[in-house]
Amino acid sequence: MKILFTFLFLSTFFTSEMRATSKPNVLFITVDDMNDWISLLDPKSPIKTPNLERLARRGTLFTRAYCMSAACNPSRAATLTGLRPTTSGVYGNKSDWRRALPKRRTIMEQFRAAGYVVKGAGKIFHHHLDGAFHDDDSFDKFRHMSPQLYPDRKLNRAKDYGSRNTDWGAWPPDEKDAIDFATAEYCIKALQQPPGDKPLFLACGIFKPHSPFFAPAKYHTAVGDIGLPARRADDWNDLPSGALKLMKSKQWFWTGMMKVDQRQAGSYQQFIRSYAACIAFADAQIGRVLDALDASPQRDNTIIVLWSDHGFHLGEKNHIEKFALWEKANHIPFIVVAPGVTKPGSLCDAPIDTSVLYPTLLELAGLPADQRCDGQSIVPWLRDPARVWTQPALMTYGRGNHAVRSARWRYIRYADGSEELYDHQHDPHEWINLASEPKHAKLIEEHRKWLPTQEAKPVRDLKRKK
């Protein structure tokens, strides 16, 4: 009897230990300001992303993925907590997200509670007030972003335009001094360590292509003449009052750029090339991290997710920056690799937003579902990308301003009730606002039903402690 008891005890012990150590690791990569004008999502794009494409070949690329808000803080807070801005009240880049959600577990905290070692580096939460938005409870170990090193003088030679944070050009001279090189180096070393008795969740936050558009010289050299984004000078003629009001404070970047003498260095075209160089640099750092994973014993037992916090306008719709509800500010790269679940090289064209990430990671890792999530798990679509998806993506920028993206249409309604409607089948640049055409009334009503019926009041802004 004693022998039998001992056998049962050891069997249970070793089975539980094997279960613990067989849990999948997670490599969680987030990128800042990367839009969809990249070869990953547009094979004709002159901005090449070979490492993102390499990653997509290992799993599922979602070709119609969108952020929940086209600003760093609300997007990251929503994605990392699984709660939309309309649930949390986190609408702006200064919103105190932890005050809004004091007891809400981030996705990293969920994994810590499940016995994972959670490490991270770079920009995971919004890097406002020198990292004051960071959440210590989400990590066992974390390497904060390296400080941005600036040259002695403005690099672009556009007269009377550009600041330290909106500058662009070849910088720094030594690639090892770049923010993302150090972030990637930390993640590489974390992957090179022998597996411990706990599974690893590793968050890698790549800062580029966020402004200033600095990338080492070799990445600028590698970028050829990529041309300029398509745009129309009269694009704002059919915008409604809500759009004009929302975008009024955002026009300084565009109007200032258009005053630059386009014949000189520092021109709009050079600005675009610098953004492309930053993407090339970010892609290279992601490639370094993937190389380290491939050289590690965890290669075949690691879930990988990659997403951008939002897109970025480079002049499309006569706008530079994010902070908008149009396609270019919200369409993002989104890749999931899940061994034994995703099919290599698969594509899913369901219009999803990043509310799916939190519940999906929980299910993939075999962790308990969280019923408070605003999104649903897409594991069934990872197994079968052709499975029917019946809901659109939802985006919010500021309380009362929302966009609904279905497979073909983008519908926008602003806080004042004014609207936009774009047919992406015939108008991918969103040049023609169809909202006022009576024949689309039923279509608009179908999209309106997805708008939130309740919206949390905005939480107070975070202020630096004295």
Side-chain angles (χ1 to χ4, degrees):
M1 188 70 174
K2 183 177 180 181
I3 294 175
L4 178 60
F5 175 80
T6 303
F7 172 79
L8 291 173
F9 171 80
L10 291 175
S11 176
T12 302
F13 174 79
F14 283 117
T15 301
S16 64
E17 283 295 294
M18 288 173 63
R19 256 199 308 267
T21 56
S22 64
K23 287 182 179 178
N25 299 291
V26 178
L27 176 57
F28 183 89
I29 305 173
T30 182
V31 191
D32 205 329
D33 282 20
M34 184 174 283
N35 71 16
D36 61 0
W37 194 29
I38 54 177
S39 57
L40 172 74
L41 292 168
D42 178 7
K44 296 180 181 179
S45 171
I47 304 177
K48 305 303 179 184
T49 49
N51 288 296
L52 268 62
E53 292 172 54
R54 159 192 171 192
L55 178 59
R57 288 194 292 270
R58 294 167 65 159
T60 302
L61 169 65
F62 287 82
T63 60
R64 292 196 186 109
Y66 298 88
C67 62
M68 284 188 274
S69 184
C72 295
N73 185 46
S75 171
R76 289 167 185 267
T79 304
L80 297 175
T81 66
L83 301 177
R84 295 186 181 278
T86 49
T87 300
S88 67
V90 179
Y91 295 105
N93 264 347
K94 297 180 181 180
S95 300
D96 188 345
W97 75 269
R98 191 41 103 182
R99 174 186 287 273
L101 303 167
K103 297 182 180 180
R104 177 65 175 172
R105 282 181 177 175
T106 65
I107 187 64
M108 287 79 71
E109 286 180 290
Q110 291 277 23
F111 277 80
R112 285 191 74 189
Y116 276 69
V117 173
V118 178
K119 299 181 181 181
K123 184 172 179 179
I124 304 300
F125 294 94
H126 183 35
H127 192 67
H128 181 58
L129 297 177
D130 296 327
F133 281 54
H134 178 74
D135 185 54
D136 289 332
D137 291 338
S138 291
F139 298 93
D140 294 293
K141 295 181 180 180
F142 191 82
R143 186 195 189 284
H144 288 272
M145 277 175 57
S146 298
Q148 175 66 65
L149 300 178
Y150 293 94
D152 294 335
R153 59 177 177 79
K154 185 164 66 85
L155 290 186
N156 78 76
R157 285 176 276 172
K159 184 179 179 181
D160 300 325
Y161 184 74
S163 68
R164 284 161 58 91
N165 289 324
T166 61
D167 198 5
W168 60 91
W171 183 263
D174 187 343
E175 183 171 359
K176 294 181 180 179
D177 290 330
I179 292 172
D180 292 323
F181 189 94
T183 294
E185 195 70 14
Y186 176 92
C187 294
I188 289 168
K189 290 179 179 178
L191 291 168
Q192 289 173 339
Q193 293 179 2
D197 58 355
K198 293 183 177 181
L200 173 66
F201 185 110
L202 179 61
C204 178
I206 300 298
F207 182 56
K208 293 302 172 188
H210 194 286
S211 62
F213 291 166
F214 291 156
K218 70 178 183 180
Y219 298 98
H220 287 263
T221 302
V223 174
D225 183 6
I226 66 172
L228 298 176
R231 67 181 191 88
R232 284 177 52 167
D234 63 350
D235 200 2
W236 282 36
N237 287 359
D238 60 357
L239 294 187
S241 58
L244 296 173
K245 181 179 179 180
L246 187 68
M247 302 307 299
K248 184 177 180 180
S249 64
K250 312 300 180 186
Q251 276 293 283
W252 65 271
F253 209 151
W254 173 250
T255 55
M257 182 65 72
M258 289 301 98
K259 292 178 181 178
V260 172
D261 186 342
Q262 300 303 305
R263 295 168 298 179
Q264 66 179 324
S267 69
Y268 173 42
Q269 188 163 19
Q270 189 60 42
F271 175 83
I272 302 297
R273 290 189 63 194
S274 293
Y275 177 83
C278 287
I279 285 185
F281 174 67
D283 182 78
Q285 304 320 301
I286 293 167
R288 293 176 61 220
V289 174
L290 294 179
D291 287 343
L293 175 62
D294 287 346
S296 76
Q298 297 98 319
R299 182 190 190 283
D300 296 324
N301 189 37
T302 297
I303 297 164
I304 310 171
V305 295
L306 180 144
W307 58 288
S308 178
D309 58 355
H310 43 69
F312 196 89
H313 283 252
L314 294 166
E316 301 91 345
K317 292 200 72 65
N318 298 333
H319 176 57
I320 289 177
E321 266 284 8
K322 44 267 189 175
F323 310 132
L325 286 167
W326 299 313
E327 183 83 0
K328 190 59 64 173
N330 293 271
H331 190 201
I332 60 169
F334 187 97
I335 302 169
V336 180
V337 178
V341 178
T342 52
K343 298 178 177 63
S346 56
L347 302 175
C348 182
D349 60 4
I352 64 166
D353 58 56
T354 54
S355 66
V356 305
L357 195 152
Y358 192 113
T360 298
L361 273 180
L362 292 181
E363 183 174 352
L364 286 175
L367 305 187
D370 189 312
Q371 301 304 321
R372 282 195 63 199
C373 286
D374 284 333
Q376 69 178 87
S377 169
I378 52 170
V379 170
W381 285 266
L382 296 177
R383 298 186 187 280
D384 178 12
R387 183 186 177 100
V388 175
W389 178 263
T390 59
Q391 65 187 62
L394 176 64
M395 291 133 273
T396 297
Y397 180 61
R399 191 180 191 214
N401 305 305
H402 309 287
V404 176
R405 180 62 157 91
S406 57
R408 176 174 173 178
W409 303 88
R410 173 171 289 271
Y411 166 69
I412 303 172
R413 192 189 70 179
Y414 295 95
D416 67 356
S418 60
E419 299 169 310
E420 293 175 69
L421 178 69
Y422 298 104
D423 180 355
H424 272 259
Q425 181 173 312
H426 300 292
D427 180 24
H429 301 298
E430 298 182 334
W431 284 338
I432 305 170
N433 179 11
L434 303 172
S436 63
E437 295 188 5
K439 67 179 180 180
H440 294 305
K442 184 178 179 180
L443 177 70
I444 288 176
E445 191 58 39
E446 291 173 353
H447 283 70
R448 275 190 195 135
K449 71 180 183 180
W450 296 101
L451 296 172
T453 55
Q454 294 183 334
E455 300 187 54
K457 293 181 180 180
V459 68
R460 289 190 305 181
D461 288 352
L462 177 67
K463 296 182 179 179
R464 187 192 299 274
K465 295 180 181 179
K466 296 182 179 179

